[in-house]
Amino acid sequence: DPQQRAEHARSQAEHEDGRREDPHEFSLPGARPADHVVGSKAATMSPPPRKSGPESGESNRVLVVLFDDIRGSTALKERMAHALDEEAFQKVRREHDELLAEVIERDGEGQIVKSTGDGVLAVLWRPSVAVERAAEIQERLHGHQVLSVRIGMDMGEVRVVSKDGRIEDVFGRHVDWAARIAGLADGG
């Protein structure tokens, strides 16, 4: 029966690439699982444990690195300080940081590693989730009165420094590439 064979193939593919069967997992209209879009062997690996990494120390892990940057932050800070005061910019920056933490860390799918002053460095465990979360950040900030962000991502093996089970820093070429991509991006 062709229908049974198709169902069996779909079931086997979902099992092999670790996708969830939740039809709401990919919430963007017309979106496909990023595992198939990315097309790399690492992208089809099942997600790592929810824990950020070893309790303490250094290790290598395949992660999605995400850099975000408030577009034109220096000029924005100057304009806001001139019109109001510098605390007005700090309020906007905190709003940005809270939104990113909410979206990236939701459901234990990622972690903000550190602030870069006018942005964040974050890691996510799965490429499909990373793409969804980046799109959600842009969508939620679309039309914001003053905030526009640039986002860059890259996936690959990075050096991870952990302390007490939390990632404190990440290093490597994929971190560099994500930062460069963010620098080339246009604010959404």
Side-chain angles (χ1 to χ4, degrees), residues 169-182:
D169 214 343
V170 290
F171 302 95
R173 63 186 174 157
H174 299 286
V175 177
D176 299 339
W177 292 344
R180 288 180 188 152
I181 292 166

Side-chain angles (χ1 to χ4, degrees), residues 14-57:
E14 286 176 351
H15 174 72
E16 288 173 1
D17 73 11
R19 285 185 291 149
R20 286 188 263 165
E21 290 186 349
D22 180 358
H24 303 291
E25 180 179 354
F26 302 99
S27 59
L28 298 174
R32 293 180 26 209
D35 296 338
H36 295 289
V37 175
V38 173
S40 72
K41 184 175 181 180
T44 60
M45 294 170 37
S46 60
R50 295 293 183 221
K51 193 169 182 85
S52 297
E55 284 298 313
S56 295

